[in-house]
Amino acid sequence: MLSGVRLCVRSLCRGWSVRGMSLSPRQINRWPSNESSEPLTDSPRVLITGGLGQLGVGLAQMLRKQYGEENVILSDIRRPPNEVYNMGPFVYADVLDYKNLRELVVNNRITWLVHYSALLSAIGEANVALARTINITGLHNVLDLALENCLRLFVPSTIGAFGPSSPRDPAPDLCIQRPRTIYGVSKYLHHKYGLDFRCLRYPGVVSAHTKPGGGTTDYAVQIFHDALSTGHHECYLRSNTRLPMMHISDCHRATIEFMQTPESQLSLRTYNIAAMSFTPEEVAEEIRKHLPHLRVTYNPDTIRQTIDSWPVRFDDSNARQDWGWKPAFGLSELVTDMLASIREKRTNAGLPVS
């Protein structure tokens, strides 16, 4: 009766009824150690949820270069732009529709699942009910899928995973957090049932290729667009608000390197990754080395400025030690690249450049 079901289903929790399957205690085992502890001999089959957000398209491009166009499937609930659709496989996937997700995983023989579907901090604060539904129910769905299908699951975390009682400078991998995050749940599923769960705590991610998506660190993207268009940026944070940041190329590279690392090398399930830390005033000064006319005014937003409890720096020593993480971009390199990329985009679109 169970011949068509992978034996790793037996690793599910004691007493869980998983989407119609009830497992007795005697059926429960951990994943076989050779399922996920060593590098994959064949190319992984990757599904990326929330693929039209800030990170999905770029990650898909990098993965397709390594593993082939057909082995990386981008998904979202929105219609993709033509250029994204023509880059490689794209499917509709609603993370709240478990049956739809399950069909995608089974029919496409997915082995890696990258879960980017979420509402970011500022948008989530404005619509708590929707954020709770997408960020929590959607996560529960992909956790169930990963357990049932022995997937290697990657879910990002953020600087918002820390609370007021957390160390801020630097914030270590393991410390008091007291937010409402996925960390405790995922750690439990790994240790008790062998789920190959992997999570990176991303800093603010800075990219010239996607529009700001509703995060608190979006000013660090918008300031470059404003510098090259109007020459004026109004910042919704105080001038001295320091936050950890990262160039999107480093973010994508860290994700891929982490996913490729043999499980036996990982001492943690969730790692910090760091590159730089700066304030609005500091990034403005760096931009003025290229565009001296830039004017910045400050009008702190009461909701976004509540991130004063977030870390100002990440301690990423464990990532560096366990799997060799090292960023390529500092503040100077980030500013130079962002200005060049946005200037090129505006010029190609026939838009004026300040």
Side-chain angles (χ1 to χ4, degrees):
M1 178 180 177
L2 294 177
S3 60
V5 181
R6 295 190 66 179
L7 292 179
C8 64
V9 169
R10 293 180 299 162
S11 66
L12 296 170
C13 330
R14 186 182 307 271
W16 269 17
S17 177
V18 183
R19 315 291 176 176
M21 287 186 292
S22 180
L23 303 177
S24 70
R26 292 184 182 180
Q27 289 178 291
I28 299 169
N29 290 316
R30 292 177 59 86
W31 275 354
S33 60
N34 62 356
E35 283 282 352
S36 56
S37 60
E38 297 304 326
L40 299 171
T41 54
D42 298 322
S43 292
R45 296 275 297 169
V46 186
L47 174 65
I48 302 173
T49 67
L52 296 183
Q54 184 184 17
L55 302 176
V57 174
L59 181 69
Q61 288 178 294
M62 292 182 70
L63 286 168
R64 285 166 177 162
K65 287 179 182 178
Q66 292 198 35
Y67 297 123
E69 180 179 299
E70 296 304 315
N71 285 323
V72 181
I73 301 174
L74 203 62
S75 74
D76 209 302
I77 60 172
R78 294 179 289 148
R79 179 183 176 183
N82 288 338
E83 61 269 23
V84 174
Y85 184 80
N86 293 328
M87 287 177 185
F90 182 95
V91 296
Y92 172 89
D94 181 352
V95 295
L96 302 181
D97 185 343
Y98 182 83
K99 184 176 182 292
N100 170 236
L101 286 178
R102 192 183 212 178
E103 288 175 351
L104 288 173
V105 167
V106 172
N107 292 345
N108 293 284
R109 300 179 295 110
I110 298 301
T111 56
W112 287 9
L113 178 54
V114 177
H115 182 55
Y116 276 156
S117 182
L119 290 188
L120 300 183
S121 55
I123 292 178
E125 287 297 319
N127 196 333
V128 174
L130 181 61
R132 185 186 298 117
T133 300
I134 294 175
N135 295 3
I136 297 178
T137 304
L139 173 65
H140 287 174
N141 284 343
V142 298
L143 285 169
D144 280 358
L145 279 170
L147 278 168
E148 291 180 14
N149 296 278
C150 295
L151 306 182
R152 179 167 291 181
L153 173 63
F154 177 80
V155 179
S157 185
T158 72
I159 50 179
F162 296 90
S165 57
S166 305
R168 297 184 63 220
D169 190 11
D173 285 304
L174 300 175
C175 66
I176 293 173
Q177 291 179 281
R178 297 196 178 119
R180 289 172 173 81
T181 69
I182 63 170
Y183 177 71
V185 175
S186 58
K187 182 179 177 183
Y188 171 80
L189 290 175
H190 164 68
H191 284 296
K192 193 164 182 66
Y193 303 110
L195 172 65
D196 189 357
F197 178 92
R198 302 178 183 217
C199 177
L200 294 178
R201 290 196 191 98
Y202 289 156
V205 178
V206 182
S207 169
H209 303 296
T210 54
K211 295 179 180 179
T216 301
T217 57
D218 281 353
Y219 87 86
V221 175
Q222 190 62 48
I223 192 172
F224 291 98
H225 290 276
D226 292 344
L228 287 165
S229 57
T230 65
H232 171 243
H233 173 69
E234 181 173 284
C235 185
Y236 49 74
L237 297 178
R238 290 193 296 267
S239 63
N240 62 347
T241 303
R242 182 174 299 280
L243 291 168
M245 300 283 186
M246 177 175 286
H247 190 281
I248 194 168
S249 295
D250 276 341
C251 178
H252 290 327
R253 182 170 56 83
T255 303
I256 294 173
E257 290 176 1
F258 182 44
M259 289 292 281
Q260 292 171 334
T261 301
E263 194 173 12
S264 56
Q265 288 181 218
L266 304 180
S267 63
L268 301 170
R269 290 287 110 188
T270 301
Y271 289 85
N272 295 336
I273 52 171
M276 67 196 85
S277 182
F278 57 73
T279 67
E281 187 173 29
E282 288 170 349
V283 71
E285 283 302 312
E286 190 67 33
I287 293 172
R288 289 191 187 104
K289 294 178 181 178
H290 304 262
L291 300 170
H293 65 276
L294 174 64
R295 185 170 65 92
V296 179
T297 54
Y298 297 93
N299 183 20
D301 177 80
T302 54
I303 294 177
R304 298 198 195 215
Q305 194 62 60
T306 57
I307 50 81
D308 284 337
S309 63
W310 288 6
V312 299
R313 289 185 180 84
F314 271 164
D315 176 0
D316 63 351
S317 55
N318 287 312
R320 292 172 184 256
Q321 178 177 319
D322 288 0
W323 45 279
W325 162 244
K326 185 179 180 181
F329 285 79
L331 178 57
S332 175
E333 293 83 3
L334 180 145
V335 168
T336 299
D337 181 79
M338 286 290 290
L339 290 174
S341 297
I342 294 173
R343 181 179 284 111
E344 181 181 11
K345 287 171 68 72
R346 291 185 64 84
T347 300
N348 291 342
L351 298 173
V353 177
S354 174

